[in-house]
Amino acid sequence: MAVRQVGVLGATGSIGTSTLDVIARHPDRFRASVLVANRGTEALAKLCERFRPDLAIVADPSMEADLARRLAAAGVTCDIASGADAVTAAAAGPLCDTVVAAIVGAAGLDSTLAAARAGKRLLLANKESIVMGGELLLQALREGGGDLIPVDSEHNAIFQCLPGGRPDLHGAGVRRLILTASGGPFRGRKRAELGTITPDEACAHPKWSMGRKISVDSATLMNKGLEVIEAHHLFAAPVDAIEVVVHPQSLVHSMVDYVDGSVLAQLGNPDMRTAIACALAYPERIEAGVARLDLAAHARLDFEQPDLETFRCLALAFAALRAGGDATAILNAANEVAVEAFLAGTLPFLGIAEVVERVLEELPANPVVDVQTLAERDAEARRAARGVLHRAYC
């Protein structure tokens, strides 16, 4: 069996480190051949020292010299590059046949598309790529002839519950896709209780250890809204065939409801390594280092409807998906600006949804044409979001 050469884009983040943990457990099957980080040269150098990739890339060009110095000090001899173009080239290049797309935010779009066009096995963790340019990504996959396996736990669960992980529900007898949500750190609270929420409170997720941006998205339920959009594209699911239920135990990762009355669910402990191992080794199953699920110890599984009045971001995501075109890209861009402002202390927690809603009202949806047009609309949405912030909160 040939060893898979894996490029990990976002190697120092939670998905990246979980991926590398799985890779380390199976050196006869996988090798981390390309490692990419944004600015964290210390963490990247340590990973390079351990995994000895062929290429290490830091996205911020100003940090390349520091990375080179650290690698030289550690005795690591691998190629070094920097900048967004280098990341995109590596995703499409010959050093890897599998790409883990785990760069957070819109910054991951170009490299994700490049990997798809090059026919790689694409392990998609960068949901913003498909939220922004779902139609473009699917077209790139068709052109490249590779395969996409989602590693978000919810979409990987659906993948596992569909026959052959089929990407199109047509003819599969599927009635609904049911995405589960933990509810985040503020589950059960009402809008009036969230006016003074701090960034540290929003980032204290009850189940997952994630970066601050993703943690805030989980707290607002925007993360679940982005996952609804992602499910629509990944599985060709009509918007009215996608539902969200809050499941605080985070043991049922998502479900597929079939027309014969069967509901198939994928369960497991909340550990990203399960989905990553599934995607790396598919269609085989491999050890991921995840503890077995003890249902008797957990005793109960609870489900409830999400509170769309309090957590407006989820409702806005559904609305953007129904609007079509580039509305979901506008939603994503406005949310990134709003979350950044919240984390900087210049926007209240409830203001995140307000900024996103105003930008969606200001910028009606246009058809998705190409990457350049999408990038221009992304920039326009960011300018509009900053304008809302300036007018309403400065």
Side-chain angles (χ1 to χ4, degrees), residues 8-366:
V8 186
L9 315 187
T12 58
S14 59
I15 297 293
T17 54
S18 292
T19 299
L20 291 169
D21 181 85
V22 175
I23 287 174
R25 294 171 187 275
H26 301 276
D28 58 325
R29 299 181 61 119
F30 311 109
R31 175 173 175 266
S33 57
V34 178
L35 296 180
V36 177
N38 183 26
R39 300 187 80 253
T41 53
E42 181 179 1
L44 179 58
K46 288 180 179 178
L47 291 176
C48 291
E49 188 175 3
R50 179 181 179 190
F51 290 96
R52 302 287 167 160
D54 299 316
L55 174 63
I57 303 175
V58 59
D60 185 342
S62 70
M63 302 301 292
E64 182 176 352
D66 185 66
L67 176 62
R69 179 183 61 78
R70 291 180 183 277
L71 292 180
V76 177
T77 56
C78 69
D79 289 337
I80 301 170
S82 65
D85 290 345
V87 178
T88 299
L95 294 180
C96 56
D97 52 58
T98 301
V99 172
V100 180
I103 296 173
V104 175
L109 176 60
D110 284 347
S111 55
T112 300
L113 289 172
R117 291 193 194 97
K120 305 298 178 76
R121 168 167 286 191
L122 179 59
L123 277 59
L124 185 66
N126 172 259
K127 59 175 58 67
E128 291 86 356
S129 290
I130 199 163
V131 167
M132 287 182 63
E135 297 172 27
L136 298 177
L137 179 56
L138 296 178
Q139 179 182 342
L141 284 164
R142 289 190 293 268
E143 292 172 359
D147 54 352
L148 185 156
I149 303 178
V151 296
D152 268 347
S153 59
E154 295 81 2
H155 303 96
N156 188 266
I158 291 171
F159 177 85
Q160 293 188 54
C161 291
L162 289 172
R166 60 192 300 162
D168 190 335
L169 301 188
H170 181 70
V174 172
R175 180 161 44 201
R176 294 178 300 162
L177 304 182
I178 306 171
L179 299 175
T180 56
S182 69
F186 309 129
R187 181 179 67 87
R189 297 199 201 182
K190 295 301 180 183
R191 184 177 178 83
E193 302 174 76
L194 300 178
T196 60
I197 292 299
T198 67
D200 285 344
E201 290 173 316
C203 291
H205 194 280
K207 293 291 182 181
W208 304 97
S209 176
M210 305 176 291
R212 288 173 73 79
K213 192 270 181 184
I214 298 176
S215 295
V216 174
D217 282 348
S218 179
T220 64
L221 293 195
M222 178 60 89
N223 198 50
K224 201 56 49 179
L226 298 180
E227 289 172 5
V228 167
I229 298 166
E230 190 177 359
H232 164 74
H233 289 293
L234 287 174
F235 305 110
V239 61
D240 293 330
I242 306 171
E243 295 185 11
V244 173
V245 296
V246 175
H247 169 53
Q249 289 87 1
S250 297
L251 299 178
V252 177
H253 299 302
S254 277
M255 297 169 273
V256 176
D257 176 19
Y258 288 89
V259 294
D260 63 2
S262 299
V263 178
L264 300 189
Q266 188 266 334
L267 287 76
N269 284 313
D271 190 317
M272 288 304 305
R273 291 176 297 176
T274 296
I276 291 165
C278 168
L280 280 172
Y282 183 81
E284 299 178 58
R285 299 277 182 173
I286 59 173
E287 166 63 39
V290 179
R292 71 179 184 88
L293 178 61
D294 187 341
L295 286 172
H298 289 282
R300 59 184 289 170
L301 302 174
D302 297 310
F303 302 93
E304 61 194 55
Q305 290 296 319
D307 179 357
L308 298 182
E309 291 298 319
T310 300
F311 300 97
R312 289 281 300 143
C313 285
L314 178 55
L316 292 172
F318 271 105
L321 183 55
R322 288 191 171 93
D326 60 10
T328 57
I330 292 168
L331 170 102
N332 179 71
N335 179 67
E336 288 191 12
V337 172
V339 170
E340 183 180 358
F342 168 68
L343 289 172
T346 58
L347 179 70
F349 181 75
L350 294 175
I352 296 173
E354 293 171 2
V355 169
V356 173
E357 185 166 20
R358 292 190 193 184
V359 173
L360 286 171
E361 291 171 351
E362 287 184 20
L363 301 178
N366 288 339

